[in-house]
Amino acid sequence: MDLRIFTEPQQGATYDTLLTVAKATEDLGFDAFFRSDHYLRMGSSDGLPGPTDAWITLAGLARETKRIRLGTLMTAGTFRLPGVLAIQVAQVDQMSGGRVELGLGAGWFEDEHKAYGIPFPKEKFARLEEQLEIVTGLWGTEVGQTFSHDGKHYQLTDSPALPKPAQTKVPVLIGGHGATRTPRLAAQFADEFNIPFASVEDSERQFGRVRAAAEQAGRKGSDLVYSSALVVCVGKDDAEVARRAAVIGRDVDELKANGLAGSPAEVVDKIGRYEAIGASRIYLQCLDLADLDHLEIISSQVQSQLS
């Protein structure tokens, strides 16, 4: 079971804070550092000092880390033209020595688009499908050849399809709860399918849909990695769990019901339930980025039991 650290910087984090967490992620033996792609806080957080851009952040971290994978859950398709995104991701992959993964979604948070003057189209899913075709098509075009795309939303003519990533294949992540279109897109384009903040039962149902869609598309269901993203709140005792829950404004019972919360033994047991339905990777949503001791206890008392 791979454990990855997943952050939500729009809630309030500087680049230096993210760098500190990423270095701790690497030092403590976690598999990867991922971040969300949002420009506006959610809920009661003040969001100070303001948003950081996902791919600018990852470019910096690419030069400051050596081992961990780096990526997004999920890059908002509304934020970037697909040709530009292909260049950005390829460049950051080069900067990292081939450690980048691209989670790409349709975009959903209308308020952040209004706040920063970003168009928020009604037809987001069809755009996402074209974006996936273009990004993967550009990367897959042989050097010396050109790539063209004549779609409803995007047109590319005789693109040199450069630069190329350092990796032969940048892993593409697709995720979500949709019952039909999401599994179809995952079957067509994804190396990994991620379901965020879902129960074991709902996750098992969605994994099954993706496996079936993959087989219908001529792939093996086992060709994809299946992963979950869950909020995490671990403590050595009840008091420490309660303290960490209070800092992030959550109720302990709610966290235990909907995430990975409690003692290390409780969390290991809950992770085992996700592993039993096919998840081989967990993204641990860490909401208090100042609490590096939290990462340490997860590493020493949860991750150690899983490995």
Side-chain angles (χ1 to χ4, degrees):
M1 175 66 71
D2 293 335
L3 295 186
R4 296 182 159 190
I5 300 303
F6 170 43
T7 62
E8 301 273 8
Q10 75 278 355
Q11 299 303 98
T14 65
Y15 171 76
D16 286 340
T17 297
L18 296 172
L19 174 59
T20 299
V21 175
K23 286 186 171 181
T25 297
E26 185 158 85
D27 293 342
L28 292 169
F30 294 103
D31 181 62
F33 175 93
F34 271 58
R35 59 156 293 163
S36 60
D37 188 18
H38 288 294
Y39 292 139
L40 197 65
R41 65 169 178 80
M42 302 169 197
S44 59
S45 167
D46 60 21
L48 295 174
T52 51
D53 181 84
W55 285 101
I56 290 177
T57 297
L58 294 176
L61 298 181
R63 308 302 292 176
E64 298 280 359
T65 58
K66 301 297 182 185
R67 177 189 59 80
I68 50 173
R69 308 289 294 177
L70 301 166
T72 50
L73 280 182
M74 299 282 186
T75 288
T78 47
F79 287 177
R80 299 165 181 87
L81 296 170
V84 174
L85 180 62
I87 292 170
Q88 291 172 323
V89 177
Q91 184 177 9
V92 178
D93 194 51
Q94 292 171 0
M95 294 167 71
S96 72
R99 293 183 285 122
V100 158
E101 304 185 10
L102 171 64
L104 185 59
W108 61 271
F109 189 20
E110 186 172 6
D111 285 352
E112 68 187 335
H113 294 74
K114 291 178 178 178
Y116 287 97
I118 303 168
F120 189 69
K122 291 182 179 180
E123 257 190 12
K124 292 182 289 298
F125 204 89
R127 288 175 181 269
L128 174 61
E129 185 166 3
E130 282 194 43
Q131 289 164 339
L132 287 162
E133 290 175 357
I134 291 166
V135 171
T136 58
L138 288 168
W139 291 339
T141 299
E142 293 185 7
V143 175
Q145 303 296 312
T146 60
F147 175 85
S148 296
H149 176 87
D150 186 16
K152 178 179 178 182
H153 302 287
Y154 304 101
Q155 296 79 40
L156 286 75
T157 303
D158 295 333
S159 172
L162 298 172
K164 300 300 185 193
Q167 299 175 87
T168 302
K169 176 74 171 66
V170 172
V172 172
L173 289 72
I174 293 173
H177 297 259
T180 304
R181 293 187 299 176
T182 296
R184 178 179 60 79
L185 274 193
Q188 185 175 357
F189 295 105
D191 301 283
E192 177 178 337
F193 177 78
N194 176 268
I195 184 164
F197 314 119
S199 67
V200 173
E201 295 75 20
D202 288 345
S203 299
E204 183 176 24
R205 189 177 303 113
Q206 187 70 334
F207 288 168
R209 292 180 183 129
V210 174
R211 289 190 187 96
E215 290 167 3
Q216 188 173 1
R219 301 176 67 182
K220 295 179 181 178
S222 58
D223 286 347
L224 283 79
V225 172
Y226 296 87
S227 64
S228 298
L230 295 161
V231 63
V232 67
C233 182
V234 184
K236 65 180 182 293
D237 52 33
D238 290 345
E240 190 167 82
V241 174
R243 177 181 63 79
R244 288 198 164 108
V247 170
I248 62 175
R250 302 281 285 269
D251 176 77
V252 171
D253 289 339
E254 179 270 322
L255 285 170
K256 288 187 176 184
N258 299 313
L260 300 172
S263 68
E266 287 178 286
V267 170
V268 169
D269 180 70
K270 184 81 173 278
I271 289 173
R273 294 172 59 195
Y274 281 91
E275 185 175 31
I277 56 112
S280 60
R281 184 171 290 160
I282 303 287
Y283 293 82
L284 303 172
Q285 185 197 42
C286 297
L287 296 176
D288 181 5
L289 299 184
D291 188 0
L292 298 183
D293 289 340
H294 193 200
L295 298 185
E296 196 284 327
I297 193 173
I298 296 169
S299 172
S300 64
Q301 299 189 41
V302 175
Q303 183 170 240
S304 60
Q305 295 189 58
L306 297 173
S307 59

